[in-house]
Amino acid sequence: MKDNRRDFIKKSASLAAALSVGGVTTAFSQTQAANKAPASAKAFARDGGMKFAFAMSPDSPRVPYAKQIDVMHAVSGVKRIEGLKPWDPEAIKATKEAWEKEGMKWTVVEGPPSLGEQTKLALSGRDEEISNFITFMKNLKQYGGVDVICYNWMPVISWARTTMDRPGRGGALVTSFDNEDIKNKPLTKYGEVSKDAMWKNLEYFLKAVVPEAEKIGMNLSLHPDDPQVHSIQGISRIMNSVENFDRMLKIMPSKYSGLTMCQGNFSLMGADIPALIRRWGKAGKINFVHFRNVQDLSGKIPSTKFTETFHDEGQIDMYASMKAYYDIGFKGTIRPDHVPTMYGEENTRPGYMTLGTLYAIGYMRGLAESIAKAGAKA
Amino acid sequence: MKENRRDFIIKSTALAALSVAGLSGCSESRSKENEKRAGLKSVGATSQVEWPVTFGEGMPKLCVLADRDASLAEMRKLKQLGVDYVLVNGPKMPWTEKGLREIMDRFKPEGLTVINMMIGGFPNTVYGREGRDEEIKLLQDSIRAAGVAGLPVIEYNFYAHRLMEGYYEVKARGGAGTTAFDYERGKDAPHDPALGTPQTAESLWNNLTYLVKAIIPVAEKAGVRMAMHPNDPPIPVSHGHAQILATFNDWKRLLAIVDSPANGMTYDCGVVRELGEDPIEVLRYMGARDRINHMHYRNVTVEKPYVKYQEVFFDEGQVNLFAVMQEVFQQGYQFGLYPEHPRELDYDREHTGGTVMQPGGIKYPGGGGYAAQAYNVAYAKAMMQAVVSANGTGAKV
């Protein structure tokens, strides 16, 4: 009713103007002035103030796609340069320059060099590995301007899936994991590695590294085990429950010892993702986000099986998750993870193909914009 | 040029008078009902809906354009985008129940419902020439067939001519293509004798009125909604022909010809902004009257309304797409919502078959393909899920 009356008044007014002498052009320009494009919303933060990123190297064919959809941050390793170690200043400088040349900002190293089996399994050479890791941290901060390192505690068998081409929505290919398929696989050459040993090794690493990270302001961000089962081929996994993450955070309590909020894995541990984001976010522990969704769980905790999905169709409340990041004021790097392989794509890098990544960025941006605009209005 | 424009303005302004009385009837109960149905109120920080969010009755239906003869692979390609609905170019008239069912039934097994078919091929009606009654008979038969086949919406448009010469590509961020339009580029384009007598606004309105009065009662009876796409580009004259659906007042006048929800439009928030109008205000106007029967979702940056603008990425531009989405749910709008006009990305330039053609096989300069469409559809879907989540309305069917 109200709308009608307003319309009526408006019409009468413009009509009156039109009927007056020489009023036609006047009416037109008045209408134009009244309908000028609105100023952008107050205090609206694009992408909710977060740094949207792709995981890629600076010479990736995906760099132009990222720029075209306005994803200007990169999660990248160090350029491989003959004769240089990845922790050498020259290699790090070259990587930084390569990103700058693209007009993009390198913000995170995921899967850092010199953090391998020696350290995670306490083999000989561990101290040298840790020493090089510390050198890497320092040089990465000083010469690369990067202050987040995403690492994991999964020696030998890292990221693992049992199916790389399960048909998902519309026949898109997704990865999945079922512990049943691998539970009878033989031990690795390292035999049985206990949870206690894994904890001891992690503690040794954190005690050596966290004080150095504090000195330089490097945010260490431990990624949950993926898959987050109790062990694979005899090698135990310990970063597979929320409680264990809380325990890890207490080993060397520091502003610079935090975690990567990989939504998929924490969800498979039975966590309420938005609530967890708020809890760890308020404690300042979230340095980096893998925005991801999953479905088809086993019902056990941690889940012994799952299937990756498109971001819009899994079990995690993606709206509440994005809102939680926004509300805690998360300003760090966030990237889509494990996207389906879509129509026309060869499944050469399951989980990391282009179309699904573009879809995921559109989805993340739509959510972030909705939340930031709703917030800006209130 | 000046004269044309003034002519155009005089007519549209004066005609606004006619629409005032005609439209007030159906709106009050409608908007109240919508408020009730949507149950919109803010309920705190965390959404209270079950995930993944789906969209039930009284909610918009995310859709994309499909070829009506789409192969299985093409259907799945679209399904991957996360849509349950498609719109297609309808077959040649006359449509038959059997023909329509064949088209619609082919999509069903892939989880796709045809929500809208576009109908065309009535030039004599547009030009008011001999043969229009035969065309209108074909239209009426087609609408009846759609009703029996269960097709809810038919989209159509009404141009004597469409000024494609005004479009050109402008390279945007990272070299992506955007579609710019400048009326100056085509305003003096000569009349094409092959297209018949240059149409004045008056003659076109006569012809349109004749058409609408002939088909809307049929559509109403058949339970089909007609969605008139506005003239886009919304300019006064194309090759000597007037454009009569290119202002908000024009649209109001169309809706007043027959007072029925069957006599509706395609609400295109991009076109609304191209006119310099407020997308929310126009959405409320049409929504309150239950006249939005299809919807196009896109963004645009306007330099000069009606004259110069640029179709840009969804995440930039002058349309607040989130505000539009909120209002769409507020209105209880329940037909197709088509995120359209993808920008041209390198991925689509490098991959053959990537281009998303517009109805009629038009490729806009700076217009893109599947990769950019994936970005757009996901963006739109996120906003739909965000609105449902924020409102806590419970979206399960």
Side-chain angles (χ1 to χ4, degrees):
Chain A
M1 185 59 201
K2 247 185 197 160
D3 276 358
N4 283 337
R5 190 158 55 192
R6 202 193 309 146
D7 279 318
F8 179 76
I9 293 161
K10 231 182 114 186
K11 267 174 214 139
S12 326
S14 68
L15 233 108
L19 293 174
S20 68
V21 181
V24 172
T25 30
T26 315
F28 185 63
S29 56
Q30 275 176 353
T31 308
Q32 275 198 30
N35 293 314
K36 253 197 170 155
S40 54
K42 253 186 290 174
F44 163 68
R46 184 173 175 78
D47 295 342
M50 295 166 235
K51 299 176 178 75
F52 281 17
F54 275 16
M56 61 186 171
S57 61
D59 54 3
S60 164
R62 304 204 305 174
V63 171
Y65 311 152
K67 287 154 71 169
Q68 293 182 347
I69 58 162
D70 196 27
V71 168
M72 300 306 282
H73 299 90
V75 174
S76 160
V78 174
K79 261 174 96 93
R80 278 177 209 173
I81 298 172
E82 202 155 329
L84 292 180
K85 304 280 190 201
W87 50 87
D88 284 338
E90 291 311 314
I92 291 168
K93 275 190 231 169
T95 309
K96 182 176 188 247
E97 280 161 16
W99 283 116
E100 280 170 350
K101 215 178 107 197
E102 297 294 345
M104 297 179 73
K105 178 93 176 79
W106 183 23
T107 55
V108 178
V109 166
E110 204 174 318
S114 202
L115 178 51
E117 286 155 21
Q118 274 74 13
T119 305
K120 292 174 193 172
L121 294 176
L123 307 178
S124 69
R126 141 164 91 166
D127 287 338
E128 192 191 340
E129 197 173 82
I130 290 177
S131 165
N132 288 334
F133 181 83
I134 291 169
T135 304
F136 174 68
M137 284 199 308
K138 289 178 176 166
N139 289 341
L140 182 65
K141 181 73 196 280
Q142 183 177 351
Y143 300 106
V146 173
D147 67 355
V148 175
I149 293 176
C150 171
Y151 70 107
N152 67 58
W153 212 250
M154 299 181 283
V156 192
I157 299 149
S158 183
W159 186 78
R161 293 290 182 270
T162 51
T163 309
M164 299 299 242
D165 56 357
R166 183 164 161 172
R169 182 168 78 197
L173 302 178
V174 296
T175 65
S176 66
F177 176 82
D178 190 340
N179 204 49
E180 287 297 308
D181 296 343
I182 58 155
K183 66 178 184 188
N184 295 324
K185 285 186 92 174
L187 297 179
T188 71
K189 65 177 176 178
Y190 301 103
E192 292 275 357
V193 180
S194 71
K195 294 217 178 218
D196 278 352
M198 294 294 286
W199 275 114
K200 244 174 76 187
N201 302 345
L202 177 60
E203 192 173 324
Y204 187 91
F205 170 77
L206 290 173
K207 286 191 168 158
V209 166
V210 171
E212 300 298 327
E214 271 181 345
K215 282 183 210 161
I216 58 168
M218 177 59 74
N219 295 285
L220 294 168
S221 311
L222 182 51
H223 189 287
D225 294 337
D226 184 5
Q228 66 317 303
V229 290
H230 285 301
S231 87
I232 297 181
Q233 292 184 264
I235 297 174
S236 289
R237 300 197 153 203
I238 55 171
M239 298 324 298
N240 69 335
S241 76
V242 171
E243 296 71 32
N244 286 1
F245 264 83
D246 284 327
R247 176 177 164 186
M248 179 278 292
L249 292 169
K250 282 184 198 136
I251 293 174
M252 283 295 286
S254 165
K255 184 170 179 278
Y256 294 99
S257 179
L259 53 89
T260 297
M261 172 47 76
C262 180
Q263 298 183 167
N265 294 114
F266 285 115
S267 174
L268 295 166
M269 299 173 196
D272 173 341
I273 295 300
L276 195 59
I277 293 166
R278 287 174 192 276
R279 177 160 79 84
W280 277 337
K282 279 173 194 157
K285 293 300 166 194
I286 300 174
N287 297 326
F288 177 38
V289 174
H290 284 176
F291 201 70
R292 192 187 141 195
N293 214 336
V294 289
Q295 65 184 5
D296 192 19
L297 277 57
S298 65
K300 292 178 191 137
I301 290 179
S303 186
T304 51
K305 67 186 260 258
F306 60 90
T307 300
E308 302 279 356
T309 70
F310 281 96
H311 283 72
D312 58 295
E313 61 170 357
Q315 63 164 17
I316 301 170
D317 185 334
M318 300 299 258
Y319 168 80
S321 299
M322 187 62 89
K323 188 161 190 331
Y325 297 123
Y326 182 79
D327 288 346
I328 63 170
F330 178 70
K331 299 278 186 285
T333 304
I334 178 169
R335 73 164 180 85
D337 203 11
H338 301 175
V339 300
T341 297
M342 294 177 71
Y343 176 86
E345 290 182 313
E346 281 182 55
N347 198 19
T348 48
R349 291 186 68 210
Y352 292 91
M353 301 304 294
T354 298
L355 290 172
T357 304
L358 295 173
Y359 186 87
I361 292 289
Y363 184 77
M364 288 164 58
R365 186 162 279 151
L367 279 186
E369 186 174 326
S370 299
I371 290 157
K373 283 194 170 159
K377 222 168 49 177
Chain B
M1 157 58 201
K2 246 186 195 152
E3 295 214 333
N4 280 340
R5 183 156 64 186
R6 191 187 304 163
D7 208 47
F8 167 73
I9 296 157
I10 290 172
K11 283 192 187 105
S12 47
T13 314
L15 285 164
L18 300 176
S19 61
V20 177
L23 285 173
S24 44
C26 63
S27 58
E28 185 182 5
S29 58
R30 171 77 190 172
S31 51
K32 279 208 179 122
E33 182 195 316
N34 287 341
E35 273 169 38
K36 240 186 275 165
R37 179 174 1 164
L40 295 180
K41 52 178 189 282
S42 212
V43 288
T46 305
S47 52
Q48 301 174 355
V49 295
E50 197 178 325
W51 276 67
V53 172
T54 53
F55 306 101
E57 285 304 306
M59 295 193 186
K61 293 169 178 58
L62 190 64
C63 62
V64 290
L65 178 69
D67 191 315
R68 69 171 176 273
D69 302 317
S71 67
L72 197 63
E74 286 164 341
M75 291 181 199
R76 290 183 175 175
K77 173 182 176 178
L78 300 177
K79 186 67 188 173
Q80 289 179 13
L81 298 172
V83 297
D84 298 327
Y85 297 87
V86 291
L87 61 148
V88 302
N89 275 306
K92 198 171 180 309
M93 293 194 292
W95 296 357
T96 62
E97 180 200 346
K98 182 168 171 287
L100 296 184
R101 280 198 200 278
E102 273 170 15
I103 294 167
M104 296 162 75
D105 288 349
R106 284 184 65 244
F107 285 92
K108 276 272 181 235
E110 295 308 310
L112 294 169
T113 300
V114 178
I115 192 163
N116 172 1
M117 280 195 207
M118 284 162 277
I119 202 161
F122 43 91
N124 297 328
T125 308
V126 175
Y127 284 84
R129 293 185 300 229
E130 198 178 323
R132 72 170 166 180
D133 288 329
E134 288 76 7
E135 286 176 352
I136 285 172
K137 170 83 168 52
L138 293 177
L139 279 163
Q140 290 168 331
D141 289 346
S142 298
I143 292 165
R144 285 188 199 102
V148 181
L151 177 72
V153 176
I154 298 175
E155 190 176 17
Y156 65 136
N157 60 39
F158 199 84
Y159 295 90
H161 187 274
R162 187 158 182 234
L163 190 69
M164 291 301 294
E165 293 92 327
Y167 287 108
Y168 58 104
E169 177 170 4
V170 169
K171 292 266 200 268
R173 64 198 194 197
T178 63
T179 304
F181 180 84
D182 187 351
Y183 183 47
E184 296 295 318
R185 291 183 174 226
K187 71 181 168 60
D188 297 325
H191 167 64
D192 178 359
L195 283 170
T197 324
Q199 295 293 301
T200 62
E202 194 184 353
S203 59
L204 284 174
W205 274 116
N206 286 337
N207 302 342
L208 176 62
T209 304
Y210 189 84
L211 168 68
V212 167
K213 284 189 169 165
I215 61 171
I216 294 302
V218 174
E220 207 169 38
K221 207 171 158 201
V224 172
R225 297 221 182 191
M226 300 300 294
M228 174 69 84
H229 192 288
N231 288 166
D232 182 25
I235 46 152
V237 174
S238 176
H239 285 252
H241 299 282
Q243 308 275 304
I244 58 163
L245 295 172
T247 72
F248 187 19
N249 281 332
D250 291 343
W251 304 345
K252 290 173 179 171
R253 182 180 178 187
L254 164 67
L255 300 183
I257 293 173
V258 178
D259 185 9
S260 162
N263 179 28
M265 288 192 71
T266 296
Y267 168 81
D268 182 324
C269 53
V271 175
V272 172
R273 177 48 75 193
E274 288 162 17
L275 310 181
E277 299 285 351
D278 177 355
I280 301 299
E281 190 187 317
V282 173
L283 176 52
R284 283 183 184 150
Y285 180 91
M286 290 186 181
R289 289 156 182 80
D290 195 11
R291 298 305 187 90
I292 304 176
N293 293 341
H294 186 57
M295 188 174 153
H296 286 179
Y297 196 64
R298 62 181 177 85
N299 217 328
V300 66
T301 299
V302 180
E303 193 176 316
K304 190 174 180 194
Y306 303 99
V307 174
K308 194 159 190 234
Y309 57 86
Q310 191 178 347
E311 297 187 33
V312 295
F313 280 94
F314 279 29
D315 57 65
E316 52 188 8
Q318 294 166 341
V319 181
N320 181 343
L321 285 179
F322 175 63
V324 168
M325 191 64 87
Q326 278 183 308
E327 189 59 34
V328 164
F329 276 84
Q330 178 80 44
Q331 293 292 338
Y333 172 68
Q334 53 183 339
F335 297 106
L337 187 152
Y338 176 31
E340 64 156 11
H341 294 194
R343 302 293 99 234
E344 192 171 46
L345 302 181
D346 279 354
Y347 185 93
D348 291 319
R349 292 178 180 132
E350 292 157 6
H351 293 77
T352 52
T355 300
V356 176
M357 290 295 180
Q358 295 302 316
I362 296 163
K363 158 82 170 79
Y364 290 92
Y370 185 58
Q373 184 177 43
Y375 179 80
N376 287 356
V377 172
Y379 176 100
K381 190 162 189 187
M383 289 208 155
M384 290 172 68
Q385 290 186 338
V387 170
V388 170
S389 295
N391 292 335
T393 46
K396 284 281 172 193
V397 182

